[in-house]
Amino acid sequence: MTRIAVVHDWLTTYAGAERVLEQILQLYPQADLFSVCDFLPEAERAFLGGRQPKTTFIQKLPGARRRYRSYLSLMPLAIEQLDLSSYDLVISSSHAVAKGVLTGPDQVHVSYVYTPLRYAWDLQHQYLRESGMTRGLKSWLARYLLHRIRQWDVRTANGVDVFVTSSSYIARRIRKAYRRDAIVVPPPVDIDGFAPGPTRQTYYLTASRLVPYKRVDLIVSAFARMPGRSLKVVGAGPEYERIAALAAGHDHIEMLGYQGADELAALMGEAKAFVFAAEEDFGIAPVEAQAAGAPVIAYGRGGARETVVEGRTGLFFEAQTPESLIAAVERFELAGVSFSEQACRTHAEQFSVGAFRARFAAVVEQAMAAHDA
């Protein structure tokens, strides 16, 4: 029997990367699980299937439960201490350091990379600005550590036999950083939880965690200038108060706060269209909206270019400005009747959980066959 190890960066919450990990673990129920650290709340552990992950020394460092990211400079060393020498197949699930595990010539290493480590590569300068480290000794120390992490990141790419990623957008980032090609396997989206509602209403909908890069402020600012177009905003987060202030005084904009899965599915099932202004690696929410039969008006950069078909399941706007979004909404109003619920739903089905499992399993099988050959 093939001995399989699955390696994940860190286990602290059940989010997008963990949904991919969940399906990998279900595909390979015999696999052992490894991670830099494991601080998952008990209520979110079910997707591990009863596994107790094997962790690194980061797990026991002071304050790691709350500040594990502050140990980033030690994580390359930590991940290399995991002994995987007894396994035939190693699958890493990596947005930071998991791809850097040590493997030998008789092992196959397939790495699902969500993105090359962002704050060490093209977002370094943004990271330093947001951390208040643009000058002084701390700034130079951070720059040196990020430089060393980049060197390690490139070197460890040589230990991966097959790269897999979520979109062509991220495949280009992998090519830029590592000079390696990656096979695109879109992440699993639980489209079965979404369906068209009984009637399509007149409101537009946006839903996300309210953090700056999601650009919900842009959406609200645009609709504040369109009193004839109603907007519902779903989500909570640190930007809530600021966005609510932008919506204040505009009766056609409704702040709904956090909504559960069933409530969100119902809102998507009746929305006139879903509005998405972020530049995401993939973007699950637009796929969920299409599964609910709603067309998408999206910023035309990043993963949205691969999950929305312009003219068939939605429209794009080309700049992250209220003016560009307003123009797209007006174009949508003129063409709205041409977007069918069935076309949106059919397109979303290619991103289902079943589709992910079939594609990922095929990649692994091909990698094993190539190694055996």
Side-chain angles (χ1 to χ4, degrees):
M1 185 174 74
T2 302
R3 293 163 297 178
I4 303 173
V6 175
V7 187
H8 192 64
D9 286 308
W10 47 72
L11 292 161
T12 59
T13 188
Y14 180 63
E18 288 69 37
R19 294 175 190 274
V20 174
L21 174 63
E22 177 180 23
Q23 297 308 319
I24 292 173
L25 293 176
Q26 290 191 19
L27 269 173
Y28 305 103
Q30 76 274 35
D32 293 326
L33 180 60
F34 297 80
S35 182
V36 167
C37 56
D38 172 22
F39 299 118
L40 264 178
E42 199 60 39
E44 297 181 16
R45 302 189 69 85
F47 78 97
L48 298 181
R51 294 175 181 83
Q52 186 60 45
K54 299 175 185 177
T55 58
T56 71
F57 65 81
I58 301 289
Q59 181 80 20
K60 297 181 180 179
L61 292 180
R65 178 176 293 274
R66 291 181 294 105
R67 297 185 295 107
Y68 61 93
R69 290 178 187 270
S70 66
Y71 292 114
L72 177 65
S73 62
L74 294 176
M75 287 184 184
L77 174 63
I79 205 74
E80 291 178 347
Q81 304 315 304
L82 293 175
D83 182 3
L84 307 181
S85 57
S86 64
Y87 295 93
D88 306 302
L89 169 65
V90 175
I91 299 172
S92 57
S93 165
S94 182
H95 56 77
V97 298
K99 83 167 202 338
V101 291
L102 301 179
T103 55
D106 294 326
Q107 296 173 289
V108 175
H109 182 184
V110 176
S111 186
Y112 195 106
V113 171
Y114 304 98
T115 179
L117 193 61
R118 284 189 174 281
Y119 27 88
W121 289 96
D122 51 318
L123 294 186
Q124 173 188 291
H125 301 294
Q126 178 182 330
Y127 165 72
L128 292 172
R129 283 194 303 271
E130 292 176 352
S131 302
M133 292 190 293
T134 56
R135 55 174 50 186
L137 183 60
K138 282 187 177 180
S139 174
W140 283 109
L141 178 60
R143 292 170 194 270
Y144 174 72
L145 290 174
L146 291 172
H147 170 70
R148 293 301 301 269
I149 287 173
R150 278 193 296 276
Q151 290 179 321
W152 176 87
D153 202 24
V154 172
R155 179 185 64 76
T156 57
N158 294 325
V160 176
D161 295 292
V162 178
F163 278 104
V164 188
T165 194
S166 61
S167 66
S168 296
Y169 174 64
I170 298 303
R172 292 194 297 273
R173 298 189 77 243
I174 290 171
R175 180 70 184 169
K176 187 77 172 180
Y178 309 143
R179 294 300 173 190
R180 294 283 301 277
D181 292 327
I183 299 169
V184 175
V185 176
V189 182
D190 183 18
I191 64 169
D192 292 339
F194 298 85
T199 49
R200 202 52 62 183
Q201 302 296 322
T202 59
Y203 63 84
Y204 290 81
L205 176 70
T206 190
S208 75
R209 179 163 167 73
L210 301 184
V211 292
Y213 86 93
K214 294 289 190 178
R215 297 310 313 271
V216 177
D217 60 330
L218 182 157
I219 297 171
V220 171
S221 295
F223 275 84
R225 293 160 55 178
M226 295 186 286
R229 317 290 185 206
S230 62
L231 172 71
K232 294 182 186 291
V233 180
V234 171
E239 288 272 284
Y240 183 89
E241 295 300 330
R242 189 174 77 85
I243 293 169
L246 294 173
H250 301 284
D251 294 340
H252 62 293
I253 300 176
E254 189 176 359
M255 299 290 295
L256 299 178
Y258 171 79
Q259 298 289 309
D262 292 342
E263 292 80 5
L264 177 59
L267 287 164
M268 285 181 168
E270 295 189 344
K272 188 172 191 176
F274 186 80
V275 186
F276 187 74
E279 182 177 349
E280 290 270 27
D281 298 341
F282 177 76
I284 288 177
V287 176
E288 293 173 338
Q290 290 170 87
V296 177
I297 301 172
Y299 175 49
R301 292 284 300 275
R305 279 283 179 187
E306 298 169 54
T307 58
V308 179
V309 182
E310 185 156 31
R312 188 157 69 88
T313 71
L315 294 175
F316 296 115
F317 57 99
E318 298 305 321
Q320 284 179 314
T321 64
E323 292 78 13
S324 185
L325 175 53
I326 290 168
V329 171
E330 295 308 317
R331 281 192 292 121
F332 176 81
E333 287 288 335
L334 292 174
V337 293
S338 66
F339 295 97
S340 77
E341 289 183 344
Q342 188 55 53
C344 293
R345 174 72 190 184
T346 299
H347 178 64
E349 287 172 355
Q350 67 181 291
F351 304 105
S352 69
V353 169
F356 170 83
R357 288 192 186 186
R359 290 170 180 158
F360 188 79
V363 170
V364 171
E365 288 172 13
Q366 290 167 9
M368 294 294 287
H371 179 267
D372 291 343

